[in-house]
Amino acid sequence: MIKDTVQYFTISDAIGLVFCGAITLLLFIVSFVYFKMHKPIYIYYSLFLLFSLLYALTVLRESAALDGLFFDFLRGNRRYTESSTLFSFSFYIFFSIPLIDLKAQSPRIARQLRIFAIACLSYALTYYIAFAYIHSYHLIIFIASRILIFGLSAYYLIKLYQHTQSPVKNFFILGSLCYFLGSIVASIRFSTDEIPNYSFYLLAAPAYFQLGILLQALFFALAMGEKVVVQHNELDNEQRSIIQQLALEDQGTKEANRRLEEEIEARVKEMIKIRENLEEQERRRVSAEHEHSLLKSEIQAKQAQINPHFIFNSLNAIKYLILQNESAKAIKYLITFSRFIRSILDQANTESISLTDEIAIVRNYIDLEKKRFDDSFNICITNNLPSDMPYFQTPPFLLQPFVENAIWHGLLPSTKHEKRLSIVLDQTEEGVKIIVEDNGVGRLYKNGHVPSKERGGLGIKLSLKRVELFNLNHKTQHISCHIHDLKDDAQRPSGTRIEIIIKTINGPTPQKGVNNEA
């Protein structure tokens, strides 16, 4: 009986000492690798080995040869035994996730395993803190926790086997089976004395667990080695790929140099051609400037033609008033006329004026004509342009000839009781539309033909020509004029409508102005 007892203790202690030495050496090696490579997988495995070593120290039997080497409070202290076991198991789970690249292959299982590991850490820490209150129930807690842990571990091992593809999967599964088999046998050895096999009790429960960890460490060492080989092969393949890529890039560089030489040659030819084009453009520019000068001179000449035409008509009006012995009206008319002539002279050398100034000229002209004819017709100017309407340009005296034509050749010959002339300014999507409309005799009032002198005389012809020249000289605005003959229900001439449309084209938007002040 004494011999059996000595053998029992000797075998268990021998296994414990071998376990402590092997785990210490492996811990030193893995920690060294971690400080060299700084990868989390090595720190997880180092912590697993550290807490496994701490577990081994708590169950190492008392021996006279070892009394001076270990703290007495570690031996046989259940608080440290259970806590260190669960801490080591938690870091074993953390280690397994990067070992088989589980996060990349199955993020869902990886997340569940992390939760499982955190739960084991929480249990170990709670057990350590509350041991003084629960130590009398430690066997019940031990059995319940092992049933739960073994069940979940078996479930996740099956999941990992089914859903992962890794070159180290088989080593990991075998090592895990050894680890859990040692744990299960140790748990049975610890929790019951009813096994009908005497040889089963020759080893203490920690010895079975330590043997499982040693076998697991062997398989995990093979797995780590295989992983290093795989990573080396991947690195080697990557380097070969880089070398091939560099070769392709070198070939591409040579091809690029060849293309660059061809491109340089093409560019030289292109530059020669550009130089020739620039010389041609310079010749065209000089010619265009010359044509522009001629065009500008033509515009000013056309504008100078309208002024004598209007002055001739105005002087006839003054002459008419004097012959009619209406000296007072003639004097007022002459004063208004002199002011109007001043505005004409101000615009004598101007290519274009604002729409606001053009409407002001028309108002002045209408005042002259109304005084001359004793307000024998009604004139209405309606400006519907918004306050933020862009600033538009027109040739000087664009509207005045049309208004003059409507009064002299439309309203005055008319026998209608109410004679009306309306000028309406509206905003369009592209710019401004101006309508000059009268209810006079119309252009077709003589035998159904347009009179050559009474309607569409020199003033209108000059205005249309100046519009044409304006469009040629301005690239951001375009003016169009349309003349419509109005008829009543009996299809008899009932007036004339002039539509003038000013729109922006292919250029910067006209500046904000005050066109509505007209």
Side-chain angles (χ1 to χ4, degrees):
M1 187 69 178
I2 296 175
K3 180 180 179 181
D4 294 339
T5 304
V6 171
Q7 184 182 14
Y8 167 79
F9 280 100
T10 300
I11 295 174
S12 298
D13 275 345
I15 294 174
L17 291 174
V18 171
F19 178 83
C20 290
I23 293 299
T24 301
L25 178 61
L26 189 58
L27 175 60
F28 175 78
I29 294 173
V30 176
S31 299
F32 179 78
V33 174
Y34 168 73
F35 286 112
K36 285 291 184 181
M37 303 186 67
H38 298 285
K39 291 186 177 181
I41 186 173
Y42 297 109
I43 192 63
Y44 292 147
Y45 197 53
S46 298
L47 291 172
F48 165 73
L49 294 174
L50 177 64
F51 283 104
S52 297
L53 179 61
L54 181 62
Y55 161 78
L57 295 178
T58 63
V59 298
L60 195 63
R61 297 298 181 180
E62 183 176 357
S63 173
L66 300 175
D67 283 345
L69 298 178
F70 301 102
F71 296 105
D72 292 337
F73 69 89
L74 286 177
R75 293 194 186 98
N77 192 327
R78 187 64 193 169
R79 169 184 287 181
Y80 295 106
T81 303
E82 180 70 2
S83 299
S84 59
T85 302
L86 268 296
F87 276 124
S88 67
F89 177 68
S90 301
F91 290 109
Y92 158 78
I93 298 175
F94 283 123
F95 163 76
S96 64
I97 295 174
L99 178 66
I100 57 177
D101 297 322
L102 186 59
K103 186 176 181 181
Q105 299 188 63
S106 180
R108 181 169 173 270
I109 297 179
R111 184 169 57 253
Q112 293 175 357
L113 283 178
R114 282 195 296 270
I115 296 173
F116 185 21
I118 294 172
C120 291
L121 283 174
S122 301
Y123 166 70
L125 186 62
T126 304
Y127 188 94
Y128 178 83
I129 295 173
F131 179 77
Y133 304 99
I134 62 174
H135 69 278
S136 57
Y137 306 100
H138 74 89
L139 183 59
I140 297 174
I141 296 174
F142 175 84
I143 295 173
S145 63
R146 291 311 183 273
I147 292 174
L148 180 61
I149 291 174
F150 292 152
L152 289 175
S153 298
Y155 169 77
Y156 283 114
L157 276 178
I158 295 173
K159 284 285 187 181
L160 293 177
Y161 182 79
Q162 293 176 342
H163 295 90
T164 59
Q165 296 294 331
S166 173
V168 302
K169 182 176 72 172
N170 293 332
F171 292 114
F172 172 74
I173 296 296
L174 291 174
S176 297
L177 289 176
C178 292
Y179 178 67
F180 290 120
L181 182 61
S183 300
I184 293 172
V185 173
S187 299
I188 296 173
R189 172 67 178 81
F190 175 78
S191 59
T192 182
D193 295 328
E194 304 297 329
I195 301 299
N197 188 345
Y198 174 75
S199 60
F200 177 73
Y201 294 96
L202 291 178
L203 296 178
Y208 286 110
F209 187 44
Q210 291 166 358
L211 287 174
I213 294 177
L214 286 174
L215 292 174
Q216 178 250 32
L218 174 63
F219 284 109
F220 275 20
L222 294 174
M224 296 290 288
E226 181 68 18
K227 190 173 183 66
V228 171
V229 171
V230 171
Q231 291 177 345
H232 175 75
N233 291 336
E234 291 178 350
L235 181 61
D236 185 57
N237 292 333
E238 184 178 351
Q239 290 177 346
R240 291 180 181 178
S241 177
I242 292 174
I243 293 173
Q244 293 176 356
Q245 183 67 27
L246 289 175
L248 291 175
E249 289 179 357
D250 182 63
Q251 183 179 357
T253 301
K254 294 179 180 179
E255 180 67 19
N257 290 334
R258 184 185 63 81
R259 293 179 180 177
L260 182 60
E261 292 176 357
E262 294 177 354
E263 185 177 353
I264 290 174
E265 184 178 357
R267 287 293 178 88
V268 170
K269 295 180 180 179
E270 184 180 354
M271 290 178 65
I272 294 174
K273 186 176 181 180
I274 290 175
R275 181 179 176 181
E276 294 175 351
N277 291 337
L278 289 175
E279 293 175 353
E280 178 65 22
Q281 289 177 7
E282 179 65 16
R283 289 193 295 269
R284 292 179 180 178
R285 185 187 67 80
V286 173
S287 176
E289 288 183 354
H290 178 67
E291 292 179 0
H292 178 74
S293 299
L294 293 177
L295 183 62
K296 183 176 180 181
S297 299
E298 185 177 359
I299 290 175
Q300 292 176 347
K302 295 298 183 183
Q303 182 173 330
Q305 284 181 292
I306 195 172
N307 295 337
H309 177 71
F310 174 74
I311 293 172
F312 176 78
N313 289 339
S314 299
L315 291 177
N316 280 339
I318 296 174
K319 177 182 177 182
Y320 173 80
L321 292 175
I322 294 174
L323 292 176
Q324 296 296 321
N325 294 322
E326 297 182 4
S327 300
K329 288 184 179 182
I331 292 173
K332 291 182 181 179
Y333 191 91
L334 183 60
I335 293 173
T336 305
F337 175 71
S338 63
R339 293 174 180 172
F340 184 61
I341 290 297
R342 178 62 182 269
S343 66
I344 293 176
L345 295 176
D346 290 340
Q347 309 295 340
N349 296 318
T350 304
E351 295 183 24
S352 61
I353 62 174
S354 68
L355 184 58
T356 301
D357 292 338
E358 179 65 20
I359 297 300
I361 291 174
V362 171
R363 286 185 182 275
N364 291 333
Y365 171 75
I366 290 174
D367 288 341
L368 288 173
E369 297 293 47
K370 289 183 69 176
K371 290 178 180 180
R372 176 182 172 187
F373 296 109
D374 294 326
D375 295 326
S376 61
F377 52 86
N378 296 324
I379 295 179
C380 176
I381 300 179
T382 304
N383 189 353
N384 296 323
L385 300 181
S387 59
D388 61 347
M389 187 69 189
Y391 182 84
F392 286 92
Q393 292 280 327
T394 68
F397 299 97
L398 172 65
L399 300 179
Q400 187 271 335
F402 296 107
V403 174
E404 178 183 0
N405 205 62
I407 294 174
W408 280 81
H409 307 295
L411 298 178
L412 293 181
S414 175
T415 58
K416 294 180 180 179
H417 176 69
E418 182 180 2
K419 302 175 183 181
R420 298 188 309 273
L421 173 64
S422 64
I423 302 174
V424 180
L425 291 84
D426 285 317
Q427 182 183 12
T428 65
E429 293 183 0
E430 297 178 329
V432 177
K433 181 169 71 172
I434 305 171
I435 298 177
V436 179
E437 183 176 326
D438 67 82
N439 67 340
V441 297
R443 296 193 302 167
L444 305 177
Y445 77 100
K446 284 188 177 180
N447 300 322
H449 299 286
V450 179
S452 58
K453 295 183 179 180
E454 288 79 0
R455 302 301 303 265
L458 179 61
I460 290 181
K461 291 179 180 179
L462 291 177
S463 292
L464 295 177
K465 180 61 177 177
R466 287 165 53 243
V467 165
E468 180 181 350
L469 297 177
F470 179 88
N471 291 336
L472 290 175
N473 199 36
H474 291 75
K475 303 303 181 182
T476 61
Q477 285 185 211
H478 183 271
I479 300 176
S480 60
C481 298
H482 306 279
I483 302 176
H484 303 279
D485 297 308
L486 305 180
K487 296 181 180 181
D488 58 15
D489 295 338
Q491 296 300 308
R492 292 174 299 188
S494 62
T496 306
R497 176 188 296 136
I498 311 296
E499 290 187 3
I500 301 173
I501 299 176
I502 308 174
K503 63 180 181 180
T504 58
I505 54 171
N506 297 332
T509 303
Q511 300 176 352
K512 299 292 183 178
V514 288
N515 292 322
N516 64 328
E517 290 180 0

